[in-house]
């Protein structure tokens, strides 16, 4: 199962891509990121509050700077290993992001990730808009 999403971010593609693969891009509820954007490299997302601690990890399968990313996706304590593909395209002075999250194992996971990506992209836009 999969979810396909498209977004328009009012920032240059180079800036959107750089934020996507930066360890400095921490969007709530995340509290820390560790990203090495190269084939075989990793990303680690940590969410830690007084109430809970979760992490998400993946490995980059393909990296075409400023154009395309393909990586695995797995939440701690979950056997589901899915894949994320992200395409970055110029759309005037903005960036179009097309995202496919595939190999999800059930409809609940599809729905949760669908909502999660919407939240992340809203946060990414806000992160990029901070001066």
């Amino acid at each position: 199962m999969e979810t396909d999403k498209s977004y328009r971010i009012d920032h240059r593609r180079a800036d959107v891509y750089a934020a996507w693969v930066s360890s400095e891009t921490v969007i709530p509820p995340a509290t820390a990121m560790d990203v090495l954007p190269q084939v075989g490299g990793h990303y680690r997302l940590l969410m830690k509050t007084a109430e809970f601690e979760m992490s998400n990890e993946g490995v980059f399968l393909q990296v075409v700077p400023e154009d395309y990313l393909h990586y695995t996706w797995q939440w701690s304590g979950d056997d589901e290993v899915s894949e994320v593909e992200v395409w970055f395209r110029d759309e005037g002075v903005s960036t179009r992001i097309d995202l496919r999250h595939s190999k999800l194992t059930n409809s609940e996971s599809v729905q949760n990730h669908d909502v999660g990506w919407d939240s992340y992209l809203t946060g990414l836009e806000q992160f990029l808009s901070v001066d």
Side-chain angles (χ1 to χ4, degrees):
M1 301 182 86
E2 69 183 37
T3 182
D4 289 294
K5 310 288 286 182
S6 287
Y7 304 93
R8 185 175 171 273
I9 304 287
D10 290 330
H11 295 276
R12 294 177 331 113
R13 181 169 49 139
D15 296 335
V16 173
Y17 175 83
W20 196 283
V21 297
S22 172
S23 294
E24 303 302 314
T25 306
V26 179
I27 297 171
T31 54
M33 288 283 296
D34 177 22
V35 183
L36 181 59
Q38 63 188 37
V39 173
H42 65 270
Y43 81 88
R44 295 182 185 104
L45 165 73
L46 177 64
M47 291 180 282
K48 186 175 182 178
T49 69
E51 294 81 33
F52 72 93
E53 184 172 332
M54 281 186 85
S55 63
N56 180 297
E57 295 189 16
V59 175
F60 286 97
L61 304 172
Q62 291 179 276
V63 176
V64 181
E66 297 185 18
D67 289 331
Y68 176 74
L69 296 169
H70 182 192
Y71 50 96
T72 62
W73 178 273
Q74 183 176 19
W75 289 102
S76 58
D78 191 340
D79 291 336
E80 180 181 71
V81 179
S82 55
E83 293 184 13
V84 176
E85 293 177 272
V86 188
W87 293 264
F88 302 86
R89 297 180 175 102
D90 291 325
E91 193 169 271
V93 295
S94 300
T95 302
R96 177 185 169 118
I97 296 172
D98 292 312
L99 183 143
R100 175 175 295 133
H101 195 149
S102 61
K103 299 187 179 179
L104 298 165
T105 57
N106 58 62
S107 58
E108 181 182 2
S109 183
V110 170
Q111 182 178 12
N112 289 341
H113 286 94
D114 192 62
V115 170
W117 284 117
D118 289 347
S119 176
Y120 180 78
L121 269 292
T122 297
L124 181 63
E125 177 91 43
Q126 292 168 349
F127 177 86
L128 288 164
S129 296
V130 174
D131 293 323

